[in-house]
Amino acid sequence: MLFPKIYVPAIDLDELFDDLFTPIARDSAAFVEVGLRLQKVFAILARLLQPSYRDSAFRHSQEALARAELEAVKPTLRIAERA
């Protein structure tokens, strides 16, 4: 051990995914290009051998898709409000 008196807690994978992907998915939900790229990344991560990666990638994929669908409906709602 190089530094036996230093302790670094393990990285929580769910927190890592939350910190990395949630802001991107939230702030760019209206941009199809970003959504497609995110889904490709989630698919790659889901294929990794660790189940925790698969679970987190699947959860974030579903959340990003839900945000994108909500953004797609907003213009229709705005038109309906004006009528």
Side-chain angles (χ1 to χ4, degrees):
M1 214 179 224
L2 191 57
F3 299 101
K5 295 184 179 184
I6 295 178
Y7 170 76
V8 177
I11 294 174
D12 181 276
L13 191 60
D14 283 330
E15 280 188 40
L16 179 66
F17 271 62
D18 288 344
D19 292 347
L20 180 62
F21 294 116
T22 299
I24 297 169
R26 180 194 62 229
D27 296 345
S28 62
F31 298 101
V32 175
E33 306 86 3
V34 178
L36 288 173
R37 189 63 60 191
L38 277 174
Q39 293 301 326
K40 288 178 182 180
V41 169
F42 294 140
I44 290 167
L45 291 170
R47 280 181 265 177
L48 296 176
L49 297 177
Q50 293 184 343
S52 55
Y53 277 84
R54 185 176 54 246
D55 296 343
S56 290
F58 181 75
R59 179 173 62 87
H60 279 274
S61 172
Q62 295 300 310
E63 290 174 4
L65 182 58
R67 284 187 182 97
E69 288 173 342
L70 187 62
E71 286 297 318
V73 172
K74 281 184 179 179
T76 306
L77 293 175
R78 286 187 202 119
I79 292 168
E81 288 173 355
R82 291 179 190 160

Coordinates of all heavy atoms in Angstrom, one line a residue:
M1 N 0.8 -1.2 0.0 CA 0.0 0.0 0.0 C 0.9 1.2 0.0 O 1.8 1.4 0.8 CB -0.9 0.0 1.2 CG -2.2 0.5 1.0 SD -3.2 0.4 2.5 CE -4.7 -0.1 1.8
L2 N 0.6 2.2 -0.9 CA 1.4 3.3 -1.0 C 1.2 4.3 0.1 O 2.2 4.9 0.7 CB 1.1 4.0 -2.4 CG 2.1 5.1 -2.8 CD1 3.5 4.6 -2.9 CD2 1.7 5.6 -4.2
F3 N -0.1 4.6 0.5 CA -0.4 5.5 1.5 C -1.4 4.8 2.5 O -2.6 5.0 2.4 CB -1.0 6.8 1.0 CG -0.1 7.5 0.0 CD1 -0.3 7.5 -1.3 CD2 0.9 8.3 0.6 CE1 0.6 8.1 -2.2 CE2 1.8 9.0 -0.3 CZ 1.6 8.9 -1.7
P4 N -0.9 4.1 3.4 CA -1.8 3.3 4.3 C -2.7 4.1 5.2 O -3.7 3.6 5.7 CB -0.8 2.4 5.1 CG 0.5 3.2 5.1 CD 0.5 3.9 3.8
K5 N -2.4 5.4 5.5 CA -3.3 6.2 6.4 C -4.3 7.0 5.6 O -5.1 7.7 6.2 CB -2.4 7.1 7.2 CG -1.5 6.4 8.1 CD -0.7 7.4 9.0 CE 0.2 6.6 9.9 NZ 0.9 7.5 10.9
I6 N -4.4 6.8 4.3 CA -5.4 7.6 3.5 C -6.5 6.6 3.1 O -6.2 5.5 2.6 CB -4.7 8.2 2.3 CG1 -3.7 9.3 2.7 CG2 -5.8 8.8 1.4 CD1 -3.0 9.9 1.5
Y7 N -7.7 7.0 3.4 CA -8.9 6.2 3.0 C -9.7 6.9 2.0 O -10.0 8.1 2.2 CB -9.7 5.9 4.3 CG -11.0 5.3 3.9 CD1 -11.1 3.9 3.6 CD2 -12.2 6.0 4.0 CE1 -12.3 3.4 3.2 CE2 -13.4 5.4 3.6 CZ -13.5 4.1 3.3 OH -14.7 3.6 3.0
V8 N -10.0 6.3 0.9 CA -10.9 6.8 -0.1 C -12.1 5.9 -0.2 O -11.9 4.7 -0.5 CB -10.2 7.0 -1.4 CG1 -11.1 7.5 -2.5 CG2 -8.9 7.9 -1.3
P9 N -13.3 6.4 0.0 CA -14.4 5.5 -0.1 C -14.6 5.0 -1.5 O -14.3 5.7 -2.5 CB -15.6 6.3 0.4 CG -15.2 7.7 0.3 CD -13.7 7.7 0.4
A10 N -15.3 3.9 -1.6 CA -15.5 3.3 -3.0 C -16.5 4.2 -3.7 O -17.4 4.9 -3.1 CB -16.1 1.9 -2.8
I11 N -16.5 4.3 -5.0 CA -17.4 5.1 -5.8 C -18.7 4.3 -5.9 O -18.8 3.1 -6.2 CB -16.8 5.3 -7.2 CG1 -15.5 6.1 -7.1 CG2 -17.8 5.9 -8.1 CD1 -14.8 6.3 -8.4
D12 N -19.8 5.0 -5.6 CA -21.1 4.5 -5.7 C -21.5 4.6 -7.2 O -21.6 5.7 -7.7 CB -22.1 5.2 -4.8 CG -23.5 4.6 -4.9 OD1 -24.2 5.0 -5.8 OD2 -23.8 3.7 -4.0
L13 N -21.8 3.5 -7.8 CA -22.0 3.6 -9.3 C -23.3 4.3 -9.6 O -23.4 5.1 -10.6 CB -22.1 2.1 -9.8 CG -22.1 2.0 -11.4 CD1 -20.8 2.6 -11.9 CD2 -22.2 0.6 -11.8
D14 N -24.3 4.1 -8.8 CA -25.6 4.9 -9.0 C -25.4 6.4 -8.9 O -25.9 7.2 -9.7 CB -26.7 4.5 -8.1 CG -27.3 3.1 -8.4 OD1 -27.3 2.8 -9.6 OD2 -27.7 2.4 -7.5
E15 N -24.6 6.8 -8.0 CA -24.3 8.2 -7.8 C -23.5 8.7 -9.0 O -23.7 9.8 -9.5 CB -23.5 8.5 -6.5 CG -24.4 8.6 -5.3 CD -23.6 9.0 -4.1 OE1 -22.8 10.0 -4.2 OE2 -23.9 8.5 -3.0
L16 N -22.5 7.9 -9.5 CA -21.7 8.3 -10.6 C -22.6 8.5 -11.8 O -22.5 9.5 -12.5 CB -20.6 7.2 -10.9 CG -19.7 7.5 -12.1 CD1 -18.8 8.7 -11.8 CD2 -18.9 6.3 -12.3
F17 N -23.5 7.5 -12.1 CA -24.4 7.7 -13.2 C -25.3 8.9 -13.1 O -25.5 9.6 -14.1 CB -25.2 6.4 -13.4 CG -24.6 5.3 -14.2 CD1 -23.4 4.7 -13.9 CD2 -25.2 4.9 -15.4 CE1 -22.8 3.8 -14.7 CE2 -24.7 3.9 -16.2 CZ -23.5 3.4 -15.8
D18 N -25.8 9.1 -11.9 CA -26.7 10.2 -11.6 C -25.9 11.5 -11.9 O -26.4 12.4 -12.6 CB -27.2 10.3 -10.2 CG -28.2 9.2 -9.9 OD1 -28.8 8.6 -10.9 OD2 -28.4 8.9 -8.7
D19 N -24.7 11.7 -11.4 CA -23.9 12.9 -11.6 C -23.5 13.1 -13.0 O -23.5 14.2 -13.5 CB -22.7 12.9 -10.7 CG -23.0 12.9 -9.2 OD1 -24.1 13.3 -8.9 OD2 -22.1 12.7 -8.4
L20 N -23.3 12.0 -13.7 CA -22.8 12.2 -15.1 C -23.9 12.3 -16.1 O -23.9 13.2 -17.0 CB -22.0 10.9 -15.5 CG -21.4 10.9 -16.9 CD1 -20.4 12.0 -17.1 CD2 -20.7 9.6 -17.1
F21 N -24.9 11.5 -16.0 CA -26.0 11.4 -17.1 C -27.2 12.3 -16.8 O -27.8 12.7 -17.8 CB -26.3 10.0 -17.4 CG -25.2 9.2 -18.0 CD1 -24.7 8.1 -17.3 CD2 -24.7 9.5 -19.2 CE1 -23.7 7.4 -17.8 CE2 -23.7 8.8 -19.7 CZ -23.1 7.7 -19.0
T22 N -27.6 12.4 -15.6 CA -28.9 13.1 -15.3 C -28.9 14.6 -15.9 O -29.8 15.0 -16.5 CB -29.2 13.1 -13.8 OG1 -29.4 11.7 -13.5 CG2 -30.5 13.8 -13.6
P23 N -27.8 15.4 -15.6 CA -27.8 16.7 -16.1 C -27.9 16.8 -17.7 O -28.6 17.6 -18.2 CB -26.5 17.3 -15.6 CG -26.1 16.5 -14.4 CD -26.6 15.1 -14.7
I24 N -27.2 15.9 -18.3 CA -27.1 15.9 -19.8 C -28.5 15.5 -20.3 O -29.1 16.2 -21.2 CB -26.1 14.9 -20.3 CG1 -24.7 15.3 -19.9 CG2 -26.2 14.7 -21.8 CD1 -23.6 14.3 -20.1
A25 N -29.1 14.5 -19.7 CA -30.4 14.0 -20.2 C -31.5 15.1 -19.9 O -32.4 15.3 -20.7 CB -30.8 12.7 -19.5
R26 N -31.4 15.7 -18.8 CA -32.4 16.7 -18.4 C -32.3 18.0 -19.2 O -33.3 18.5 -19.8 CB -32.2 17.1 -16.9 CG -33.2 18.2 -16.4 CD -32.7 18.7 -15.0 NE -31.4 19.4 -15.2 CZ -30.4 19.2 -14.4 NH1 -30.5 18.4 -13.4 NH2 -29.3 19.9 -14.6
D27 N -31.1 18.5 -19.4 CA -30.9 19.8 -20.1 C -31.0 19.7 -21.6 O -31.1 20.7 -22.3 CB -29.6 20.4 -19.7 CG -29.5 20.7 -18.2 OD1 -30.6 20.8 -17.6 OD2 -28.4 21.0 -17.7
S28 N -30.8 18.5 -22.1 CA -30.9 18.3 -23.6 C -32.0 17.4 -24.0 O -31.9 16.8 -25.1 CB -29.5 17.8 -24.1 OG -29.3 16.5 -23.5
A29 N -33.0 17.3 -23.2 CA -34.1 16.3 -23.6 C -34.8 16.7 -24.9 O -35.3 15.8 -25.6 CB -35.1 16.3 -22.4
A30 N -34.8 18.0 -25.2 CA -35.4 18.4 -26.5 C -34.6 18.2 -27.7 O -35.1 18.3 -28.8 CB -35.8 19.9 -26.4
F31 N -33.4 17.7 -27.6 CA -32.5 17.6 -28.7 C -32.3 16.1 -29.0 O -31.7 15.3 -28.3 CB -31.1 18.1 -28.4 CG -31.1 19.6 -28.1 CD1 -31.1 20.1 -26.8 CD2 -31.2 20.5 -29.2 CE1 -31.1 21.5 -26.6 CE2 -31.3 21.9 -29.0 CZ -31.2 22.4 -27.7
V32 N -32.9 15.7 -30.1 CA -32.9 14.3 -30.6 C -31.5 13.7 -30.7 O -31.2 12.6 -30.3 CB -33.7 14.1 -31.9 CG1 -33.6 12.7 -32.4 CG2 -35.1 14.6 -31.7
E33 N -30.6 14.5 -31.2 CA -29.2 14.1 -31.5 C -28.6 13.6 -30.2 O -27.9 12.6 -30.1 CB -28.4 15.2 -32.1 CG -28.9 15.7 -33.4 CD -29.9 16.9 -33.2 OE1 -30.1 17.3 -32.0 OE2 -30.5 17.4 -34.1
V34 N -28.8 14.4 -29.1 CA -28.2 14.1 -27.8 C -28.8 12.9 -27.2 O -28.2 12.0 -26.7 CB -28.3 15.3 -26.9 CG1 -27.7 15.0 -25.5 CG2 -27.6 16.5 -27.5
G35 N -30.1 12.8 -27.4 CA -30.9 11.7 -26.8 C -30.4 10.4 -27.5 O -30.3 9.3 -26.8
L36 N -30.2 10.4 -28.8 CA -29.8 9.2 -29.5 C -28.4 8.8 -29.0 O -28.1 7.6 -28.8 CB -29.7 9.4 -31.0 CG -31.1 9.5 -31.7 CD1 -30.9 9.9 -33.1 CD2 -31.8 8.2 -31.6
R37 N -27.5 9.8 -28.9 CA -26.1 9.5 -28.4 C -26.2 8.9 -27.0 O -25.5 7.9 -26.7 CB -25.3 10.7 -28.5 CG -23.8 10.5 -28.2 CD -23.2 9.6 -29.2 NE -23.2 10.2 -30.6 CZ -22.9 9.5 -31.6 NH1 -22.5 8.2 -31.5 NH2 -23.0 10.0 -32.8
L38 N -27.0 9.4 -26.1 CA -27.1 8.9 -24.8 C -27.6 7.5 -24.8 O -27.1 6.6 -24.1 CB -28.1 9.8 -23.9 CG -27.6 11.0 -23.3 CD1 -28.7 11.8 -22.6 CD2 -26.5 10.7 -22.3
Q39 N -28.6 7.2 -25.6 CA -29.1 5.8 -25.7 C -28.1 4.8 -26.2 O -28.0 3.7 -25.7 CB -30.4 5.8 -26.6 CG -31.6 6.5 -26.0 CD -32.0 6.0 -24.6 OE1 -31.9 4.8 -24.3 NE2 -32.5 6.9 -23.8
K40 N -27.2 5.3 -27.1 CA -26.1 4.4 -27.6 C -25.1 4.2 -26.5 O -24.7 3.0 -26.3 CB -25.4 5.1 -28.8 CG -26.2 5.1 -30.0 CD -25.5 5.8 -31.2 CE -26.3 5.8 -32.4 NZ -25.6 6.4 -33.5
V41 N -24.8 5.2 -25.7 CA -23.9 5.0 -24.5 C -24.5 4.1 -23.5 O -23.8 3.2 -23.0 CB -23.6 6.4 -23.9 CG1 -22.8 6.2 -22.6 CG2 -22.7 7.2 -24.8
F42 N -25.8 4.2 -23.2 CA -26.5 3.4 -22.3 C -26.4 1.9 -22.7 O -26.3 1.0 -22.0 CB -27.9 3.8 -22.0 CG -28.0 5.1 -21.3 CD1 -29.0 6.1 -21.7 CD2 -27.1 5.5 -20.3 CE1 -29.1 7.3 -21.0 CE2 -27.2 6.7 -19.6 CZ -28.2 7.6 -20.0
A43 N -26.6 1.7 -24.0 CA -26.6 0.3 -24.6 C -25.2 -0.3 -24.4 O -25.1 -1.5 -24.1 CB -27.0 0.4 -26.1
I44 N -24.2 0.5 -24.7 CA -22.8 0.0 -24.5 C -22.6 -0.4 -23.1 O -22.0 -1.4 -22.7 CB -21.8 1.0 -25.0 CG1 -21.9 1.1 -26.5 CG2 -20.4 0.6 -24.6 CD1 -21.1 2.3 -27.1
L45 N -23.0 0.5 -22.1 CA -22.7 0.3 -20.7 C -23.5 -0.9 -20.2 O -23.1 -1.7 -19.4 CB -23.1 1.5 -19.9 CG -22.1 2.7 -20.1 CD1 -22.7 3.9 -19.4 CD2 -20.8 2.4 -19.5
A46 N -24.7 -1.1 -20.8 CA -25.6 -2.2 -20.4 C -25.0 -3.6 -20.8 O -25.3 -4.6 -20.2 CB -27.0 -2.1 -20.9
R47 N -24.1 -3.6 -21.8 CA -23.5 -4.8 -22.3 C -22.3 -5.2 -21.5 O -21.8 -6.3 -21.7 CB -23.2 -4.7 -23.8 CG -24.4 -4.9 -24.7 CD -24.0 -4.8 -26.1 NE -24.3 -3.4 -26.4 CZ -24.0 -2.8 -27.6 NH1 -23.5 -3.5 -28.5 NH2 -24.4 -1.6 -27.8
L48 N -21.9 -4.4 -20.6 CA -20.7 -4.7 -19.8 C -21.1 -5.9 -18.9 O -22.3 -6.1 -18.6 CB -20.2 -3.5 -19.0 CG -19.7 -2.4 -19.8 CD1 -19.4 -1.2 -18.9 CD2 -18.5 -2.8 -20.6
L49 N -20.1 -6.6 -18.4 CA -20.4 -7.8 -17.7 C -20.9 -7.6 -16.2 O -21.5 -8.5 -15.6 CB -19.2 -8.7 -17.6 CG -18.7 -9.2 -19.0 CD1 -17.4 -10.0 -18.8 CD2 -19.8 -10.0 -19.7
Q50 N -20.7 -6.4 -15.7 CA -21.2 -6.1 -14.3 C -22.7 -5.8 -14.3 O -23.1 -4.8 -15.0 CB -20.4 -5.0 -13.7 CG -18.9 -5.3 -13.5 CD -18.2 -4.2 -12.8 OE1 -18.6 -3.1 -12.8 NE2 -17.0 -4.5 -12.3
P51 N -23.4 -6.5 -13.6 CA -24.9 -6.3 -13.5 C -25.2 -4.8 -13.0 O -26.2 -4.3 -13.4 CB -25.4 -7.3 -12.5 CG -24.4 -8.4 -12.5 CD -23.1 -7.7 -12.8
S52 N -24.4 -4.3 -12.2 CA -24.7 -2.9 -11.7 C -24.6 -1.9 -12.8 O -25.4 -1.0 -12.8 CB -23.7 -2.6 -10.5 OG -22.4 -2.7 -11.0
Y53 N -23.7 -2.1 -13.7 CA -23.7 -1.2 -14.9 C -24.9 -1.3 -15.7 O -25.5 -0.3 -16.1 CB -22.4 -1.5 -15.8 CG -21.2 -0.8 -15.3 CD1 -20.4 -1.4 -14.3 CD2 -20.8 0.4 -15.9 CE1 -19.2 -0.8 -13.9 CE2 -19.6 1.0 -15.4 CZ -18.8 0.4 -14.5 OH -17.7 1.0 -14.1
R54 N -25.3 -2.6 -15.9 CA -26.5 -2.8 -16.7 C -27.8 -2.2 -16.1 O -28.6 -1.5 -16.7 CB -26.7 -4.3 -16.9 CG -27.9 -4.7 -17.8 CD -28.0 -6.2 -18.0 NE -28.0 -7.0 -16.8 CZ -27.1 -7.8 -16.4 NH1 -26.0 -8.0 -17.1 NH2 -27.2 -8.5 -15.2
D55 N -27.9 -2.4 -14.8 CA -29.0 -1.8 -14.0 C -29.1 -0.3 -14.1 O -30.1 0.3 -14.4 CB -29.0 -2.3 -12.6 CG -29.2 -3.8 -12.5 OD1 -29.6 -4.5 -13.4 OD2 -28.9 -4.4 -11.4
S56 N -27.9 0.3 -13.8 CA -27.9 1.8 -13.9 C -28.1 2.3 -15.3 O -28.8 3.3 -15.5 CB -26.5 2.3 -13.3 OG -26.4 2.0 -12.0
A57 N -27.5 1.7 -16.3 CA -27.7 2.1 -17.6 C -29.2 2.0 -18.1 O -29.7 2.9 -18.7 CB -26.8 1.3 -18.6
F58 N -29.8 0.9 -17.7 CA -31.2 0.7 -18.0 C -32.1 1.8 -17.4 O -33.0 2.3 -18.0 CB -31.7 -0.7 -17.6 CG -33.1 -1.0 -18.0 CD1 -33.5 -1.2 -19.3 CD2 -34.1 -1.0 -17.0 CE1 -34.8 -1.5 -19.6 CE2 -35.4 -1.2 -17.3 CZ -35.8 -1.4 -18.7
R59 N -31.8 2.0 -16.1 CA -32.6 3.0 -15.4 C -32.5 4.4 -16.0 O -33.4 5.1 -16.3 CB -32.2 3.1 -13.9 CG -33.0 4.1 -13.1 CD -32.7 4.0 -11.6 NE -31.3 4.3 -11.3 CZ -30.8 5.5 -11.1 NH1 -31.6 6.6 -11.2 NH2 -29.5 5.7 -10.8
H60 N -31.2 4.8 -16.3 CA -31.0 6.1 -16.9 C -31.5 6.2 -18.4 O -32.0 7.2 -18.8 CB -29.5 6.5 -16.9 CG -29.2 7.0 -15.5 ND1 -29.3 8.3 -15.2 CD2 -28.7 6.4 -14.4 CE1 -28.9 8.5 -14.0 NE2 -28.6 7.4 -13.5
S61 N -31.5 5.1 -19.1 CA -32.1 5.0 -20.4 C -33.6 5.3 -20.4 O -34.1 6.1 -21.1 CB -31.8 3.6 -21.0 OG -32.5 3.5 -22.3
Q62 N -34.2 4.7 -19.4 CA -35.7 4.9 -19.3 C -36.0 6.3 -18.9 O -36.9 6.9 -19.4 CB -36.3 3.9 -18.3 CG -36.2 2.4 -18.7 CD -36.9 2.2 -20.0 OE1 -38.0 2.5 -20.1 NE2 -36.2 1.5 -20.9
E63 N -35.2 6.8 -17.9 CA -35.4 8.2 -17.5 C -35.2 9.2 -18.6 O -36.0 10.2 -18.8 CB -34.5 8.5 -16.3 CG -34.9 7.8 -15.0 CD -34.0 8.0 -13.9 OE1 -33.0 8.8 -14.0 OE2 -34.2 7.4 -12.8
A64 N -34.2 9.0 -19.4 CA -33.9 9.9 -20.5 C -34.9 9.9 -21.6 O -35.4 10.9 -22.1 CB -32.5 9.6 -21.1
L65 N -35.4 8.7 -21.8 CA -36.5 8.5 -22.8 C -37.8 9.2 -22.3 O -38.4 9.9 -23.1 CB -36.8 7.0 -23.0 CG -37.8 6.7 -24.1 CD1 -37.5 7.3 -25.4 CD2 -38.0 5.2 -24.2
A66 N -38.1 9.1 -21.1 CA -39.3 9.7 -20.5 C -39.2 11.2 -20.6 O -40.1 11.9 -21.0 CB -39.5 9.3 -19.0
R67 N -38.0 11.8 -20.3 CA -37.8 13.2 -20.5 C -37.9 13.7 -21.9 O -38.5 14.7 -22.2 CB -36.4 13.6 -20.0 CG -36.3 13.6 -18.5 CD -34.9 14.2 -18.1 NE -34.7 14.2 -16.6 CZ -34.1 13.2 -16.0 NH1 -33.6 12.2 -16.7 NH2 -34.0 13.2 -14.7
A68 N -37.4 12.9 -22.8 CA -37.5 13.2 -24.3 C -38.9 13.2 -24.7 O -39.3 14.1 -25.5 CB -36.6 12.3 -25.1
E69 N -39.7 12.2 -24.3 CA -41.1 12.1 -24.7 C -41.9 13.3 -24.1 O -42.7 13.8 -24.8 CB -41.7 10.8 -24.2 CG -41.1 9.6 -25.0 CD -41.6 8.2 -24.4 OE1 -42.0 8.2 -23.2 OE2 -41.5 7.2 -25.1
L70 N -41.6 13.7 -22.9 CA -42.2 14.8 -22.3 C -41.9 16.1 -23.1 O -42.8 16.9 -23.4 CB -41.8 15.0 -20.9 CG -42.5 16.1 -20.1 CD1 -44.0 15.7 -20.0 CD2 -41.9 16.2 -18.7
E71 N -40.7 16.3 -23.5 CA -40.3 17.4 -24.4 C -41.0 17.4 -25.7 O -41.4 18.4 -26.3 CB -38.8 17.5 -24.5 CG -38.1 18.0 -23.3 CD -38.5 19.4 -22.9 OE1 -38.6 20.3 -23.8 OE2 -38.6 19.6 -21.7
A72 N -41.2 16.2 -26.3 CA -41.9 16.1 -27.6 C -43.3 16.5 -27.5 O -43.9 16.9 -28.5 CB -41.7 14.7 -28.1
V73 N -43.9 16.3 -26.4 CA -45.4 16.6 -26.2 C -45.6 18.0 -25.9 O -46.7 18.6 -26.2 CB -45.9 15.7 -25.0 CG1 -47.4 16.1 -24.7 CG2 -45.9 14.2 -25.4
K74 N -44.6 18.7 -25.4 CA -44.8 20.1 -25.0 C -45.3 21.1 -26.1 O -46.2 21.8 -25.8 CB -43.5 20.7 -24.4 CG -43.3 20.3 -22.9 CD -42.1 21.0 -22.4 CE -41.9 20.5 -20.9 NZ -40.7 21.2 -20.3
P75 N -44.8 21.0 -27.3 CA -45.4 21.9 -28.4 C -46.8 21.6 -28.6 O -47.6 22.5 -28.8 CB -44.5 21.5 -29.6 CG -43.3 21.0 -29.1 CD -43.6 20.3 -27.8
T76 N -47.3 20.4 -28.5 CA -48.7 20.0 -28.7 C -49.5 20.6 -27.6 O -50.6 21.1 -27.8 CB -48.8 18.5 -28.8 OG1 -48.0 18.0 -29.8 CG2 -50.3 18.1 -29.1
L77 N -49.0 20.6 -26.4 CA -49.7 21.1 -25.3 C -49.8 22.7 -25.4 O -50.9 23.2 -25.1 CB -49.0 20.8 -24.0 CG -49.1 19.3 -23.6 CD1 -48.2 19.1 -22.3 CD2 -50.5 18.8 -23.4
R78 N -48.8 23.3 -25.9 CA -48.8 24.8 -26.0 C -49.9 25.1 -27.1 O -50.6 26.1 -26.9 CB -47.4 25.3 -26.5 CG -46.4 25.3 -25.3 CD -45.1 25.9 -25.7 NE -44.1 25.5 -24.9 CZ -43.0 24.8 -25.3 NH1 -42.8 24.6 -26.5 NH2 -42.1 24.4 -24.4
I79 N -49.9 24.4 -28.2 CA -50.9 24.7 -29.2 C -52.3 24.5 -28.6 O -53.2 25.3 -28.9 CB -50.7 23.8 -30.4 CG1 -49.4 24.2 -31.1 CG2 -51.9 23.8 -31.4 CD1 -48.9 23.2 -32.2
A80 N -52.5 23.4 -27.9 CA -53.9 23.2 -27.3 C -54.2 24.3 -26.3 O -55.4 24.6 -26.2 CB -53.8 21.8 -26.6
E81 N -53.3 24.8 -25.6 CA -53.6 25.9 -24.6 C -54.0 27.1 -25.3 O -54.8 27.9 -24.8 CB -52.3 26.2 -23.8 CG -52.0 25.1 -22.7 CD -50.7 25.4 -22.0 OE1 -50.0 26.3 -22.4 OE2 -50.4 24.6 -21.1
R82 N -53.5 27.4 -26.5 CA -53.8 28.6 -27.3 C -55.2 28.5 -27.9 O -55.8 29.5 -28.2 CB -52.8 28.9 -28.4 CG -51.4 29.3 -27.8 CD -50.5 29.5 -28.9 NE -49.1 29.6 -28.4 CZ -48.0 29.5 -29.1 NH1 -48.1 29.2 -30.4 NH2 -46.9 29.6 -28.6
A83 N -55.6 27.3 -28.1 CA -57.0 27.1 -28.8 C -58.1 27.4 -27.9 O -58.1 27.5 -26.8 CB -57.0 25.7 -29.4

